[in-house]
Amino acid sequence: MAKSKKEKLYEGKAKIIYSAEDESEVIIKFKDDATAFDGAKKGKIKGKGSVNNKMSCFLFEYLEKYNVPTHFIEQLSDTEMKAKKVEIILVEVVMRNIAAGSLCKRYGFKEGDKIETPILEFFLKDDDLHDPLMNEYHAYALNLATKDELRQISKLAMKINVVLSSFFERRNILLVDFKLEFGRYDGKLILADEISPDTCRFWDAETRKKLDKDRFRQDLGKVEESYKEILERVLS
Ligand SMILES: Nc1ncnc2c1ncn2[C@@H]1O[C@H](COP(=O)(O)OP(=O)(O)OP(=O)(O)O)[C@@H](O)[C@H]1O
Ligand SMILES: [Mg+2]
């Protein structure tokens, strides 16, 4: 840990948010704790905090080069990042390129089905309500975001999908789907939270081997190894 007077502002399931010297910033510490199925399954993935921090730092910096505004400021250590302190918009934004997870359960897609026009989904970020699927009208009714903000969020999510899909394609990895969180900072909308194997599905393009949290959810084994492998392939 870098500075002594930092205080814990919030502890979530995967990360701890600390105050930084500058009030407009936070220090995000990534933990090894893992949860799945709405918190019903709990465990630890050794080295996950480090993998998720390093991958998030790298991908936020990469997205900035494509003019995607993010909360990323700098990597502080293996498991800590300095970021802009945002007011999180309570909408989880999911983009899907290949069917997996809840999409299969909800609509009868088969896992692995290619989705020709990527699907953009919104979920209410509320653990007590089990993060229900919603549309933009629910978001307006709940005062979660303005019309202009949701329009920007949708546009950014689609751009991020294009940029990251081709980034991963070059590494022989399929970006199956991913979840984003956005926040307000200085009157502007920016990408926040994390981009990691906890929040994305990654499959090897040839073998379709899973390289993400599904290895933990589905007890597929080699969990730690897969987190390390996907980080190495991102950084290579
Ligand atoms: N730059 C940021 N500024 C402020 N909060 C942030 C920032 N980036 C992420 N957060 C929030 O930090 C919290 C902790 O992250 P973590 O992933 O551990 O939470 P979670 O358990 O998934 O979700 P939550 O506790 O919000 O239900 C989340 O609520 C996330 O939205
Ligand atoms: Mg989270």
Side-chain angles (χ1 to χ4, degrees), residues 126-139:
D126 186 326
D127 282 344
D128 294 338
L129 295 175
H130 315 289
D131 297 346
L133 177 70
M134 63 176 182
N135 66 34
E136 58 182 291
Y137 296 98
H138 296 94

Side-chain angles (χ1 to χ4, degrees), residues 11 20 41 55 59 61 69 105-106 108 143 149 156-157 162 183 216 222:
E11 176 155 7
K41 180 172 170 140
M55 189 184 290
L59 292 176
E61 208 164 19
K105 288 197 202 104
R106 246 184 288 124
N143 259 315
E149 283 174 331
L156 278 172
V162 170
F216 168 78
K222 296 228 189 310

Side-chain angles (χ1 to χ4, degrees), residues 68-149:
V68 174
T70 80
H71 68 158
F72 177 71
I73 297 174
E74 62 171 325
Q75 187 180 328
L76 294 174
S77 70
D78 277 1
T79 56
E80 293 165 303
M81 150 192 329
K82 191 190 272 184
K84 292 169 181 161
K85 181 184 190 172
V86 304
E87 181 196 338
I88 289 282
I89 293 175
L90 299 178
V91 178
E92 297 200 341
V93 181
V94 172
M95 283 288 327
R96 300 176 178 276
N97 299 305
I98 295 174
S102 66
L103 192 76
C104 299
K105 288 197 202 104
R106 246 184 288 124
Y107 303 107
F109 287 100
K110 286 217 179 56
E111 186 182 76
D113 284 352
K114 170 106 182 87
I115 298 160
E116 289 305 337
T117 306
I119 297 174
L120 172 66
E121 293 177 333
F122 298 130
F123 294 86
L124 174 62
K125 185 171 159 61
D126 186 326
D127 282 344
D128 294 338
L129 295 175
H130 315 289
D131 297 346
L133 177 70
M134 63 176 182
N135 66 34
E136 58 182 291
Y137 296 98
H138 296 94
Y140 306 144
L142 291 166
N143 259 315
L144 303 178
T146 65
K147 207 161 185 164
D148 186 54
E149 283 174 331

